[in-house]
Amino acid sequence: MFSKRLNQIENHISQMAAKPSTFQEVPRAPPDVIFNLTATYKADTFEKKVNLGVGAYRDDNGKPWVLPVVKKAEREIINDPELDHEYLPITGLVSFKEASIKLILGADNPAIKEKRVVAAQTISGTGANHLGALFLSRFYRKGSIVYVSNPTWANHKPIFNNVGFETRDYAYYDPKTIGLDIGGMLDSLENAPEGSIILLHACAHNPTGVDPTQEQWKAIADVMEKKNHFPFFDCAYQGFASGDLDRDAWAVRYFVERGFELLVCQSYAKNFGLYGQRAGCLTFVLRDSETALKVDSQLAKLQRAEISNPPAHGARIVSLVLNDSALFDEWVENLKTMSFRIQEMRRRLYVNLVELETPGTWNHITDQIGMFSFTGLKPHQVKVIKEKYHVYLTDNGRISMAGLSSKNVEYFAKAVDDVVRNHP
Ligand code: PLA
């Protein structure tokens, strides 16, 4: 009796071992280029290691910084006796969306009064990009191609490819001038099929830190208007480019003024330091209020099937700060603290490289803006910096400026000097 049962179990086990997994043909995917850097950095035990990978703000001690205004708002929220944990509406917290629209378009933008602006709260900037892409995959003309800058944020193409879009590059960065290739960019837009979707970084371009000037934006708008292209703005760094929220929203507002229908993705990860809270917003500016209502209804339908409704905590913090003038002013000060420290690090890195007489020109370090600097280091030099100096940055030579501090900027400059001289 007992041995029979044992036999059965043995048979069962051997059958299990013989049966291959349904998923054994799944190819192994490479690790994410940006998040893998953080993981490798964390596992590294070298004392002087430096993480210049992910674009997350750090204070001068290399520590994450919870904005004082965020702490204050959070306390207020938690102490609110009325607070509950009910679901938010499908397209998110209304006061958050309204404030987000005003922040990006300007409070007195006529499009708001004309009721032709709609928004959905999203899973941070990535979710806004995704929901925007998903909406266009359903409702924009079939077969359209999405153009992204060369180079762009590592996640842009995957987001669009995941919902079935073909992606192509438009010229953007010129390695010779370490600046914008405006001629090449305009040519690419001119040669793209009529009605293409053009992904534009609203400000603080990732990874290059090179933005068009206002004159260049006008020329970009001219071609896009002529070719009937659709502007898809990604705005992940409002307040980080110039330290001025309005100036950083200039390009988006200009396109609205020109009469474009467009969408814009906002992230509060960087400018509120709410990385893990996933607070973001997707806004559509449409031609008329009737279309706006239709788009709104479809955003709700798409969102319901994807995430049902967005997370509340981060959105509550942002909403409280944006809707209270005293807290808003405090936030602007906090933003300046971050953007000024980054600018100071640009200056210090530049001065160090000049003092070391590192071959090449380094003006681009201080000319570029926002969270990142595109150093011009080549992949083989990045490899040496990683292995010999334990400094982590993406292979394209992008560094997150916030990872530098008064304690490590000299160390990093010496590492750059070594690879530029000895590994040209
Ligand atoms: N858009 C751009 C241009 C970004 O650089 C990022 C973040 C996002 C959207 C999405 O951010 P969110 O979903 O957190 O709001 N880029 C980071 C992180 C900071 C990342 O890769 O996800 C970067 O290091 O490039």
Side-chain angles (χ1 to χ4, degrees), residues 32 34-35 53-56 123-127 129 152-156 201 204-206 234-237 266-270 275 278-280 371-372 398:
D32 181 79
I34 293 172
F35 278 74
V54 69
I123 306 288
S124 209
T126 305
N129 275 271
T152 194
W153 176 43
N155 212 12
H156 275 145
H201 297 230
H205 185 269
N206 177 9
D234 187 7
C235 186
Y237 302 94
Q266 283 164 279
S267 164
Y268 293 106
K270 272 67 72 167
Y275 305 91
R278 317 307 289 141
M371 197 103 192
F372 303 108
R398 179 191 92 165

Coordinates of all heavy atoms in Angstrom, one line a residue, residues 32 34-35 53-56 123-127 129 152-156 201 204-206 234-237 266-270 275 278-280 371-372 398, ligand 1:
D32 N 17.9 46.5 -18.0 CA 17.7 47.9 -18.3 C 19.0 48.7 -18.2 O 19.6 48.6 -17.1 CB 16.6 48.5 -17.5 CG 16.3 49.9 -17.9 OD1 15.6 50.1 -18.9 OD2 16.8 50.9 -17.2
I34 N 19.7 51.8 -17.6 CA 19.8 52.8 -16.5 C 19.6 52.2 -15.1 O 20.4 52.4 -14.3 CB 18.7 54.0 -16.8 CG1 19.1 54.7 -18.1 CG2 18.7 54.9 -15.6 CD1 18.2 55.7 -18.6
F35 N 18.6 51.4 -15.0 CA 18.3 50.8 -13.6 C 19.4 49.8 -13.2 O 19.7 49.6 -12.1 CB 16.9 50.2 -13.5 CG 15.9 51.3 -13.2 CD1 15.5 52.2 -14.2 CD2 15.4 51.4 -11.9 CE1 14.6 53.2 -13.9 CE2 14.5 52.5 -11.6 CZ 14.1 53.3 -12.6
G53 N 24.5 57.6 -12.9 CA 23.6 56.9 -13.8 C 22.2 57.6 -13.9 O 21.9 58.5 -14.6
V54 N 21.3 57.1 -13.0 CA 19.9 57.5 -13.1 C 19.8 59.0 -12.7 O 20.6 59.5 -11.9 CB 19.0 56.6 -12.1 CG1 19.4 56.9 -10.7 CG2 17.5 56.9 -12.4
G55 N 18.9 59.7 -13.4 CA 18.7 61.1 -13.1 C 17.8 61.3 -11.9 O 16.7 61.7 -11.9
A56 N 18.4 61.1 -10.7 CA 17.7 61.4 -9.4 C 18.6 62.4 -8.6 O 19.8 62.2 -8.5 CB 17.6 60.0 -8.7
I123 N 0.7 57.2 -14.2 CA 1.8 56.6 -13.4 C 3.1 57.3 -13.8 O 3.8 56.9 -14.7 CB 1.9 55.1 -13.7 CG1 0.6 54.3 -13.5 CG2 3.0 54.5 -12.9 CD1 0.2 54.2 -12.1
S124 N 3.2 58.5 -13.2 CA 4.4 59.4 -13.5 C 4.5 59.7 -15.0 O 3.6 59.5 -15.8 CB 5.6 58.8 -12.8 OG 6.5 59.8 -12.5
G125 N 5.7 60.1 -15.4 CA 6.0 60.5 -16.8 C 5.9 59.3 -17.7 O 5.4 59.4 -18.8
T126 N 6.4 58.2 -17.2 CA 6.4 57.0 -18.1 C 5.0 56.6 -18.4 O 4.7 56.3 -19.6 CB 7.1 55.8 -17.3 OG1 8.4 56.2 -16.9 CG2 7.2 54.6 -18.2
G127 N 4.1 56.6 -17.4 CA 2.7 56.3 -17.6 C 2.0 57.3 -18.6 O 1.2 56.9 -19.4
N129 N 3.5 59.0 -21.0 CA 4.0 58.6 -22.3 C 3.3 57.4 -22.9 O 2.9 57.4 -24.0 CB 5.5 58.3 -22.3 CG 6.4 59.6 -22.4 OD1 6.8 60.0 -23.5 ND2 6.7 60.2 -21.3
T152 N 17.8 59.9 -27.6 CA 16.7 60.3 -26.8 C 16.8 59.4 -25.5 O 17.6 58.6 -25.3 CB 15.4 60.1 -27.5 OG1 14.3 60.8 -26.7 CG2 14.9 58.7 -27.7
W153 N 15.8 59.6 -24.6 CA 15.7 58.8 -23.4 C 15.5 57.4 -23.8 O 14.8 57.1 -24.7 CB 14.5 59.3 -22.6 CG 14.1 58.5 -21.3 CD1 15.0 58.0 -20.4 CD2 12.8 58.1 -20.9 NE1 14.4 57.4 -19.4 CE2 13.0 57.4 -19.7 CE3 11.5 58.3 -21.4 CZ2 11.9 56.8 -19.0 CZ3 10.5 57.7 -20.7 CH2 10.7 57.0 -19.5
A154 N 16.3 56.5 -23.1 CA 16.3 55.1 -23.5 C 15.0 54.4 -23.5 O 14.8 53.3 -24.1 CB 17.3 54.3 -22.5
N155 N 14.0 54.9 -22.8 CA 12.7 54.3 -22.8 C 11.7 54.7 -23.8 O 10.6 54.2 -23.9 CB 12.1 54.5 -21.4 CG 11.3 53.3 -20.9 OD1 11.3 52.2 -21.5 ND2 10.5 53.5 -19.8
H156 N 12.0 55.8 -24.6 CA 11.0 56.3 -25.5 C 10.6 55.3 -26.6 O 9.4 55.0 -26.8 CB 11.5 57.6 -26.2 CG 11.2 58.8 -25.4 ND1 12.1 59.9 -25.3 CD2 10.2 59.2 -24.6 CE1 11.6 60.8 -24.5 NE2 10.5 60.4 -24.1
H201 N 11.2 67.0 -26.6 CA 11.5 67.1 -25.2 C 11.2 68.6 -24.9 O 11.8 69.5 -25.4 CB 13.0 66.9 -24.8 CG 13.4 65.5 -25.1 ND1 14.1 64.7 -24.1 CD2 13.2 64.6 -26.2 CE1 14.3 63.5 -24.6 NE2 13.8 63.4 -25.9
A204 N 15.2 70.7 -21.1 CA 16.2 69.9 -20.5 C 16.3 68.5 -21.1 O 16.1 67.5 -20.5 CB 15.9 69.8 -19.0
H205 N 16.6 68.6 -22.4 CA 16.7 67.4 -23.2 C 17.5 66.3 -22.6 O 18.7 66.5 -22.1 CB 17.3 67.7 -24.6 CG 17.3 66.6 -25.6 ND1 18.4 65.7 -25.7 CD2 16.4 66.1 -26.4 CE1 18.1 64.8 -26.6 NE2 16.9 65.0 -27.1
N206 N 17.0 65.1 -22.5 CA 17.6 63.9 -22.0 C 18.0 63.0 -23.2 O 17.1 62.6 -23.9 CB 16.7 63.1 -21.1 CG 17.3 61.9 -20.5 OD1 18.5 61.6 -20.7 ND2 16.5 61.1 -19.8
D234 N 7.2 65.7 -24.2 CA 7.5 65.0 -23.0 C 8.2 66.0 -22.1 O 9.3 66.6 -22.4 CB 8.5 63.8 -23.2 CG 8.7 63.0 -22.0 OD1 8.0 63.2 -20.9 OD2 9.5 62.0 -22.0
C235 N 7.6 66.3 -20.9 CA 8.1 67.3 -20.0 C 8.4 66.7 -18.7 O 7.5 66.7 -17.8 CB 7.1 68.4 -19.9 SG 7.7 69.8 -19.0
A236 N 9.6 66.2 -18.5 CA 9.9 65.5 -17.3 C 10.8 66.3 -16.3 O 11.1 65.9 -15.2 CB 10.7 64.2 -17.6
Y237 N 11.1 67.6 -16.8 CA 12.1 68.3 -16.0 C 11.7 69.8 -15.9 O 12.6 70.7 -15.8 CB 13.5 68.2 -16.6 CG 14.0 66.8 -16.7 CD1 13.8 66.0 -17.8 CD2 14.6 66.2 -15.6 CE1 14.2 64.7 -17.9 CE2 15.0 64.9 -15.6 CZ 14.8 64.2 -16.8 OH 15.2 62.9 -16.8
Q266 N 3.6 65.1 -18.3 CA 4.3 65.8 -17.1 C 4.7 64.7 -16.1 O 3.9 63.8 -15.8 CB 3.4 66.8 -16.4 CG 3.2 68.1 -17.2 CD 2.1 68.9 -16.6 OE1 0.9 68.6 -17.0 NE2 2.3 69.8 -15.7
S267 N 5.9 64.9 -15.5 CA 6.3 64.0 -14.5 C 6.7 64.9 -13.3 O 7.3 66.0 -13.4 CB 7.6 63.3 -14.9 OG 8.2 62.7 -13.8
Y268 N 6.2 64.4 -12.1 CA 6.6 65.2 -10.8 C 7.7 64.4 -10.1 O 8.0 64.7 -8.9 CB 5.4 65.4 -10.0 CG 4.4 66.3 -10.6 CD1 3.2 65.9 -11.1 CD2 4.7 67.7 -10.7 CE1 2.3 66.8 -11.7 CE2 3.8 68.6 -11.2 CZ 2.6 68.1 -11.8 OH 1.8 69.0 -12.4
A269 N 8.3 63.4 -10.8 CA 9.4 62.6 -10.2 C 10.6 63.5 -9.8 O 11.0 63.5 -8.6 CB 9.9 61.5 -11.1
K270 N 11.0 64.3 -10.7 CA 12.2 65.1 -10.5 C 11.9 66.5 -9.8 O 12.6 66.8 -8.8 CB 13.0 65.4 -11.8 CG 13.9 64.3 -12.2 CD 13.3 63.0 -12.6 CE 12.6 63.0 -13.9 NZ 12.3 61.6 -14.4
Y275 N 9.9 60.5 -6.9 CA 10.3 59.4 -7.9 C 9.4 58.2 -7.7 O 8.7 57.7 -8.6 CB 11.7 59.0 -7.7 CG 12.7 60.2 -7.8 CD1 13.0 60.9 -6.7 CD2 13.1 60.6 -9.1 CE1 13.8 62.0 -6.9 CE2 14.0 61.7 -9.2 CZ 14.3 62.4 -8.1 OH 15.1 63.5 -8.2
R278 N 5.1 58.0 -8.2 CA 4.6 57.9 -9.6 C 3.4 58.9 -9.8 O 2.3 58.5 -10.1 CB 4.1 56.4 -9.8 CG 5.0 55.3 -9.4 CD 6.5 55.5 -9.9 NE 6.6 55.2 -11.3 CZ 7.4 56.0 -12.1 NH1 8.1 57.0 -11.6 NH2 7.5 55.7 -13.4
A279 N 3.7 60.1 -9.6 CA 2.7 61.2 -9.9 C 3.0 61.9 -11.3 O 4.1 62.5 -11.4 CB 2.7 62.2 -8.8
G280 N 2.1 61.7 -12.2 CA 2.3 62.3 -13.5 C 0.9 62.7 -14.1 O -0.1 62.4 -13.6
M371 N 19.3 68.2 -15.9 CA 19.8 67.1 -15.0 C 21.1 66.5 -15.5 O 21.9 66.0 -14.7 CB 18.7 66.0 -14.9 CG 18.8 65.1 -13.8 SD 17.6 65.6 -12.6 CE 18.1 64.7 -11.2
F372 N 21.2 66.5 -16.9 CA 22.3 65.7 -17.4 C 23.3 66.5 -18.2 O 23.1 67.6 -18.6 CB 21.7 64.6 -18.4 CG 20.7 63.8 -17.8 CD1 19.3 63.9 -18.1 CD2 21.0 62.8 -16.9 CE1 18.4 63.1 -17.5 CE2 20.1 62.0 -16.3 CZ 18.7 62.2 -16.6
R398 N 26.6 59.9 -21.0 CA 25.7 60.8 -20.2 C 26.0 60.7 -18.7 O 26.2 59.6 -18.2 CB 24.2 60.4 -20.4 CG 23.2 61.3 -19.7 CD 21.8 60.7 -19.7 NE 21.6 59.9 -18.5 CZ 20.4 59.4 -18.1 NH1 19.3 59.8 -18.8 NH2 20.2 58.7 -17.1
Ligands
PLA1 N1 10.7 61.2 -19.8 C1 12.0 61.5 -19.8 C2 12.6 62.4 -20.8 C3 12.8 61.0 -18.7 O1 14.1 61.3 -18.7 C4 12.2 60.2 -17.7 C5 13.0 59.7 -16.6 C6 10.8 60.0 -17.8 C7 10.1 60.5 -18.9 C8 10.1 59.2 -16.9 O2 10.1 59.5 -15.6 P1 9.1 59.0 -14.5 O3 8.3 57.9 -15.1 O4 9.9 58.6 -13.3 O5 8.3 60.2 -14.2 N2 14.4 59.4 -16.8 C9 15.3 58.9 -15.8 C10 14.8 57.6 -15.1 C11 15.4 59.9 -14.7 C12 14.4 56.5 -16.0 O6 15.2 56.2 -17.0 O7 13.3 56.0 -15.9 C13 16.7 58.8 -16.4 O8 17.6 58.5 -15.7 O9 16.8 58.9 -17.6

